[in-house]
Amino acid sequence: MAIKAVKGVKDILPGSIGAWREVEKRAKDLFARFGFKEIVLPIFEKTEVFTKGVGEGTDIVQKEMYTFEDQGGESITLRPEGTASCVRAFIEHSMFHPPGSVTKLFYMGPMFRRERPQAGRFRQFYQIGAELYGAAEPEADADVIHLLHLFITAIHIKGPKLHLNSLGCEVCRPPFKAALVEYLSVRKEGLCENCQGRYEKNPLRVFDCKVEKCQQMVADAPTIDKHYCPDCTGHFGTLQKRLAQLNIPYNVNPRMVRGLDYYTRTVFEVTAEGLGSQNSIAGGGRYDNLVKTSGGPQVPATGFAVGMERLMESIGQPLEISDGNPDVFIIYMEEAADEANKIAGRLRENGVKVERAYKPLGMKNQIGRADKSGARFALIIGADEVASRTAKIKNLGAGTQTDCLLDAVVEELARLVSR
Ligand SMILES: [Zn+2]
Ligand SMILES: [Zn+2]
């Protein structure tokens, strides 16, 4: 029996990589427009990067991390998300200097969570993430949301919706949490077992719970919007004004908390059509305390991450991408082996995508291969062509054929394929 890939892990095959890379390219173009620079982060970190950074009380840390002890006895974890790693790097390389500076970073790559395999969820999944450090202002939130909005638009996501909330701050969240705990404590029999165990310490998690009765319970629960302090009211109001000025549609959902502990004030999520209940394709928010709690100075931050797998499923119209097919297929006979080799080399040096046979099979066989390759042109060099120093260039789409001097074919083909 041949060995198969691990459950929940998949190969990205050549047939779909074109669209995948095009999405990454469009993201990179937009990151450049907003001044974000790429950072390549390690795939694994010391476990405490995530237990501290993502939060002990989260599902990710409690149930989903791939953690192991390496041969040196150190606890290592495959990164389940990018923000905590990026914060670790930000602090380690003192990117907060000079004080008050703004640092914008983006990353792309695989993340790992041992989730229950289901539609649209993978144990190795890909994210594109953006983090902006050093600005507490709502304008910074508006910038990252605008970037995300333009990205979603650029790749034609089906029915995108931006959901927005503010989770308040260390001033107004504690009274809200207390009110929520009080509301839940007199109704705790109505909560699922999981929520009964966590609501006192982590009442916000009940908003995230997928169990039907918990969802019903929070429908009437107190919400944070009734508890904002004046600063949070001002911050959220300005953010909404800035989004409206940028023509970004959104709806405010005071029950959206997102499953992580580190968010402060702004949180947001983008959902798409046609994905069923797992319809979130991107999410993020502000995390003004994470740099400090991770051992750095007090540096405010905001950012988002996009999940590539679900994103790719929700692209509404095919992206215009290069098909990766050859420009030219060289068909040659034994007598033309030298010419074919030289011409293939020179065409490739000149930026032309070339496919060739490695041994000169029959003419009919090679023409069949040329057609199958999807090449736009075939260059045909047989014994007669070598003798007359003239090759044939066939336009495989149009079926037309012209003669061309052997010495001029490189120039001629380079000109033809660039049109
Ligand atoms: Zn507040
Ligand atoms: Zn629950």
Side-chain angles (χ1 to χ4, degrees):
M1 273 269 278
I3 299 168
K4 290 191 172 158
V6 173
K7 203 173 181 186
V9 165
K10 68 165 186 178
D11 303 302
I12 306 160
L13 298 172
S16 48
I17 199 71
W20 191 279
R21 293 294 181 229
E22 180 63 23
V23 166
E24 290 181 343
K25 184 176 159 288
R26 292 187 193 190
K28 283 183 179 175
D29 288 347
L30 284 165
F31 282 133
R33 253 186 256 178
F34 284 79
F36 283 74
K37 304 249 165 76
E38 184 165 15
I39 183 167
V40 178
L41 297 160
I43 298 234
F44 57 86
E45 299 269 5
K46 290 179 182 170
T47 299
E48 63 254 40
V49 166
F50 306 112
T51 49
K52 271 193 188 170
V54 181
E56 301 270 11
T58 58
D59 279 357
I60 295 175
V61 168
Q62 288 187 346
K63 295 184 245 173
E64 298 169 356
M65 294 204 306
Y66 281 99
T67 297
F68 59 94
E69 201 172 278
D70 73 4
Q71 284 81 345
E74 185 157 46
S75 182
I76 298 293
T77 294
L78 300 185
R79 61 182 185 189
E81 56 110 67
T83 299
S85 292
C86 202
V87 165
R88 194 268 309 141
F90 176 78
I91 298 167
E92 185 167 343
H93 303 288
S94 303
M95 286 187 243
F96 41 82
H97 281 306
S101 57
V102 171
T103 305
K104 303 180 203 179
L105 302 171
F106 76 90
Y107 49 82
M108 300 178 168
M111 310 287 161
F112 306 85
R113 293 183 200 172
R114 199 176 187 290
E115 294 192 271
R116 211 160 42 83
Q118 51 181 310
R121 289 220 173 187
F122 298 94
R123 290 175 172 181
Q124 175 173 332
F125 56 98
Y126 287 76
Q127 282 190 345
I128 299 177
E131 317 287 355
L132 186 158
Y133 302 94
E137 291 74 20
E139 284 75 10
D141 296 323
D143 251 17
V144 297
I145 293 172
H146 191 206
L147 168 50
L148 181 58
H149 171 75
L150 291 181
F151 175 57
I152 297 298
T153 309
I155 57 172
H156 316 300
I157 292 300
K158 274 182 287 186
K161 283 208 173 68
L162 172 66
H163 309 270
L164 187 68
N165 192 18
S166 171
L167 295 179
C169 67
E170 54 276 14
V171 174
C172 53
R173 208 186 313 179
F176 160 63
K177 272 191 173 178
L180 184 57
V181 170
E182 195 186 315
Y183 171 88
L184 295 171
S185 64
V186 296
R187 296 167 177 82
K188 66 178 175 195
E189 267 68 56
L191 292 171
C192 77
E193 203 176 317
N194 193 6
C195 287
Q196 284 192 25
R198 66 184 173 180
Y199 84 93
E200 283 186 301
K201 218 174 145 208
N202 274 306
L204 293 182
R205 287 290 89 76
V206 184
F207 283 102
D208 281 335
C209 186
K210 296 278 178 280
V211 177
E212 180 66 32
K213 56 183 180 178
C214 294
Q215 283 293 302
Q216 284 172 5
M217 181 79 77
V218 295
D220 296 317
T223 48
I224 180 74
D225 52 330
K226 307 289 186 298
H227 292 80
Y228 292 145
C229 68
D231 282 352
C232 286
T233 303
H235 190 278
F236 200 29
T238 303
L239 172 60
Q240 292 183 59
K241 188 169 84 179
R242 295 284 175 257
L243 295 181
Q245 287 165 345
L246 295 165
N247 299 315
I248 302 168
Y250 63 89
N251 35 26
V252 173
N253 176 3
R255 285 181 182 78
M256 182 180 70
V257 297
R258 300 193 45 79
L260 300 169
D261 285 350
Y262 51 59
Y263 288 121
T264 49
R265 290 195 174 145
T266 312
V267 286
F268 53 90
E269 190 169 290
V270 175
T271 56
E273 266 170 21
L275 292 171
S277 62
Q278 301 285 336
N279 62 353
S280 171
I281 55 170
R286 173 162 285 287
Y287 50 98
D288 286 345
N289 302 317
L290 185 59
V291 175
K292 181 128 195 234
T293 55
S294 303
Q298 177 64 46
V299 177
T302 184
F304 65 79
V306 177
M308 282 292 279
E309 284 78 5
R310 270 184 259 166
L311 187 83
M312 297 308 293
E313 271 181 58
S314 44
I315 293 176
Q317 66 186 75
L319 304 173
E320 273 179 39
I321 46 170
S322 155
D323 51 20
N325 291 341
D327 297 314
V328 177
F329 194 104
I330 299 179
I331 295 170
Y332 67 102
M333 295 295 105
E334 187 78 55
E335 298 83 348
D338 296 338
E339 294 300 341
N341 189 54
K342 282 189 270 186
I343 290 169
R346 284 174 54 210
L347 282 171
R348 286 168 172 158
E349 284 161 13
N350 281 281
V352 179
K353 288 182 277 180
V354 177
E355 198 51 82
R356 54 165 294 180
Y358 292 105
K359 61 178 162 187
L361 304 161
M363 184 66 79
K364 214 175 154 194
N365 181 313
Q366 290 191 62
I367 289 176
R369 286 184 184 212
D371 279 331
K372 205 172 158 219
S373 76
R376 290 163 65 198
F377 298 95
L379 176 69
I380 302 165
I381 325 172
D384 294 348
E385 283 79 9
V386 174
S388 66
R389 304 296 298 162
T390 308
K392 291 191 174 66
I393 294 174
K394 187 173 183 184
N395 182 323
L396 292 168
T400 54
Q401 190 168 296
T402 53
D403 288 339
C404 181
L405 289 173
L406 270 183
D407 292 335
V409 289
V410 171
E411 205 179 324
E412 177 63 5
L413 282 167
R415 189 181 68 80
L416 286 171
V417 302
S418 69
R419 286 206 297 214

